Amino acid sequence: MKLIENKNILLGVCGGIAAYKSVELLRLLKRHGANVKVFMTENSEAFVGRLTFEALSGQPVCSSLFEKVGSRSEHIGHIDWAEKADALVIAPATANIIGKIANGIADDALSTLVLAVTSPVIICPSMNTNMYRNRALQRNLDRLRQDGLFVIEPESGELACGTSGPGRLPEPEYILDRLLFRLSPKDLKDKNILVTAGPTQEYIDPVRFLSNPSSGKMGYSIARAAEKRGGRVVLVTGPTSLSDPLNATVIRVGSAEDMAIAVFEHMEHADIIIKAAAVSDYRPVDPCQQKIKKEKDEIVLSLQKNQDILEELGRRKENRLLVGFAAETENLEKNSVDKLVRKNLDIIVGNLVGRPSSGFGSDSNKVTFFYKDGTTESFPEMGKDEVADILLDRIVTMVRYRLSDN
Ligand code: PMT
């Protein structure tokens, strides 16, 4: 997640039972390379000790309006950090801080900081359900949205006070995801992006199938990254254990035939199609209706070729930008370029598979992009999220180039 690496993220913590989740959020931000400075309200110290935040952030916590930075008296803590901030996240945000922000009140370090920052501000309300539904609170939240602050809705569920309903602070991973959404360039805004991911399963009998080790991670990373950049994403995915990317239309399929139906149904509206799925090339000619019994020492399985979905997309492509993947164990360049040409693609992402840290199942990938103009770009091994972002960077450039060409 390069987006927050070495960036100054300010974390505001208010007095609520959910303050313990801010500790995990801080750890996540640090894990992704952010410099984090924590601002605590006086009440929050009743829930989590400042030492915890100081130890994990490696920075003194700011809770006083009069904290100075260094020895120079003109450097006041909250002003100094406000100027350096790349984003401010307040989690949990109580009704009190929301009311203060909505009305421009600055009577402690955190509320004063909010007035002084010019970076994006993300507010994560968390409180008792009745307080959350209160009209004054909702009015204040509307005011915040109108003022350009980004409000992350609380989750519904059982709350610490015993009531049930909206008011629970979302999980730190979700808050981080929405922070990245807020900070991402919206260079795919209004673009319809169709992504495929995962394996397909070709059943031999009701309890056995032919498949491959695709986990879906590569395709899901692309879908998540495209959504953050403002794209309208449709994800057609084979069976995976991954949770649905936020704000994407997710269509779960089983076989290559099911995937073909879903892809052709959604291709019409797509501006960009990215096929990261590992589609089975063959399926059993005559799958058994009942479980095959272990009676014979040897059985022969007859297979027939599945339709090549990508090749068909290449035929019907028109103005769409079409990207394929090639999973290769050898001759990466030759095999990838063959597919690029045969399937009429704009880019093919060649990836070496068959090693633990690249290709199927891993969190990282080692890829080379082959472009239709004959150029190539090779990358060192990197996280699949990073591969997804670089691929989308190249796609955005190609789309812009085409628009300026027309
Ligand atoms: O899911 P992960 O665990 O994260 O692993 C990622 C990955 C290794 C699956 C991914 O990076 C990848 O390489 N996907 C393509 C795998 C593959 O099927 O490669 P291929 O060389 O067999 O196919 C080439 C292209 O044609 C692919 O875009 C594929 O989606 C497409 N295809 C293939 C066969 C078929 N019948 N229809 C297709 O559309």
Side-chain angles (χ1 to χ4, degrees):
M1 261 165 241
K2 291 272 174 224
L3 215 53
I4 57 168
E5 202 174 291
N6 297 321
K7 293 282 160 52
N8 294 319
I9 308 294
L10 310 184
L11 175 61
V13 183
C14 301
I17 195 79
Y20 74 94
K21 286 190 182 171
S22 330
V23 177
E24 191 48 38
L25 179 59
L26 166 59
R27 291 169 71 111
L28 266 181
L29 292 166
K30 290 293 291 178
R31 209 176 297 149
H32 288 102
N35 307 317
V36 188
K37 172 79 172 177
V38 178
F39 284 71
M40 295 179 81
T41 63
E42 200 184 325
N43 285 338
S44 71
E45 297 202 45
F47 293 88
V48 184
R50 59 165 44 228
L51 262 181
T52 305
F53 289 115
E54 292 190 338
L56 292 173
S57 67
Q59 304 262 6
V61 161
C62 182
S63 56
S64 157
L65 263 175
F66 308 107
E67 184 195 304
K68 292 188 183 126
V69 177
S71 54
R72 288 164 59 201
S73 57
E74 69 270 25
H75 283 219
I76 305 296
H78 56 276
I79 301 296
D80 208 63
W81 278 96
E83 282 169 1
K84 291 193 284 201
D86 293 294
L88 164 62
V89 184
I90 305 185
T94 53
N96 185 42
I97 193 79
I98 290 166
K100 284 191 208 176
I101 301 170
N103 292 286
I105 295 170
D107 64 354
D108 64 2
L110 181 57
S111 53
T112 311
L113 173 78
V114 179
L115 285 189
V117 288
T118 52
S119 67
V121 178
I122 291 112
I123 304 287
C124 309
S126 168
M127 63 200 72
N128 161 273
T129 296
N130 293 336
M131 288 172 73
Y132 181 69
R133 288 187 173 137
N134 182 281
R135 286 169 66 175
L137 186 278
Q138 288 299 324
R139 198 170 55 232
N140 287 337
L141 282 178
D142 282 345
R143 172 85 60 91
L144 262 48
R145 291 187 191 99
Q146 283 159 20
D147 289 348
L149 282 70
F150 187 77
V151 177
I152 297 182
E153 303 297 328
E155 286 177 355
S156 281
E158 226 171 87
L159 302 173
C161 56
T163 55
S164 194
R168 198 163 64 185
L169 187 71
E171 291 308 311
E173 290 78 9
Y174 179 84
I175 297 174
L176 173 64
D177 190 89
R178 292 302 84 191
L179 165 67
L180 295 172
F181 173 84
R182 180 63 188 78
L183 295 182
S184 293
K186 295 293 171 279
D187 46 13
L188 287 171
K189 191 167 181 291
D190 298 330
K191 293 277 176 277
N192 294 313
I193 300 149
L194 175 59
V195 182
T196 70
T200 64
Q201 295 175 344
E202 313 298 327
Y203 273 84
I204 300 167
D205 71 12
V207 294
R208 302 179 182 101
F209 54 78
L210 299 174
S211 192
N212 60 66
S214 169
S215 61
K217 287 178 187 171
M218 190 63 251
Y220 279 58
S221 287
I222 295 168
R224 281 196 304 266
E227 184 266 343
K228 288 197 183 68
R229 297 167 77 142
R232 284 187 290 262
V233 177
V234 174
L235 173 67
V236 178
T237 174
T240 72
S241 57
L242 305 175
S243 45
D244 289 356
L246 294 172
N247 303 321
T249 303
V250 180
I251 300 159
R252 292 193 175 266
V253 296
S255 66
E257 279 180 305
D258 296 342
M259 183 169 278
I261 292 168
V263 166
F264 295 136
E265 193 181 317
H266 287 88
M267 74 165 289
E268 199 185 318
H269 302 292
D271 304 298
I272 298 161
I273 304 176
I274 308 172
K275 279 215 84 258
V279 186
S280 304
D281 288 325
Y282 291 91
R283 67 177 184 278
V285 173
D286 192 13
C288 285
Q289 297 308 306
Q290 305 301 331
K291 186 180 171 192
I292 299 169
K293 292 289 168 208
K294 205 172 47 182
E295 285 158 356
K296 299 180 190 159
D297 285 344
E298 199 178 313
I299 55 170
V300 176
L301 201 57
S302 234
L303 302 176
Q304 64 185 312
K305 220 177 193 175
N306 276 324
Q307 179 183 25
D308 193 311
I309 306 168
L310 189 55
E311 200 168 325
E312 182 58 27
L313 288 171
R315 268 184 222 112
R316 304 192 202 170
K317 173 177 174 192
E318 295 175 353
N319 289 328
R320 295 175 189 88
L321 201 134
L322 193 53
V323 180
F325 273 70
E328 305 295 343
T329 51
E330 57 177 352
N331 300 329
L332 183 73
E333 176 159 5
K334 185 188 173 306
N335 293 337
S336 301
V337 172
D338 277 357
K339 287 173 187 171
L340 175 86
V341 174
R342 180 158 44 86
K343 303 190 186 194
N344 190 21
L345 309 179
D346 295 284
I347 310 176
I348 192 153
V349 180
N351 58 184
L352 281 173
V353 296
R355 43 156 107 177
S357 53
S358 177
F360 293 104
S362 57
D363 289 330
S364 50
N365 213 354
K366 166 98 184 74
V367 297
T368 302
F369 295 173
F370 300 92
Y371 299 94
K372 70 170 176 190
D373 66 2
T375 54
T376 64
E377 253 188 308
S378 261
F379 299 93
E381 198 175 286
M382 57 175 85
K384 283 180 176 167
D385 285 345
E386 215 179 317
V387 172
D389 256 320
I390 296 176
L391 179 61
L392 293 178
D393 286 345
R394 303 302 182 265
I395 289 172
V396 166
T397 307
M398 281 180 117
V399 169
R400 280 207 194 116
Y401 182 73
R402 274 188 185 181
L403 286 177
S404 65
D405 230 21
N406 289 334

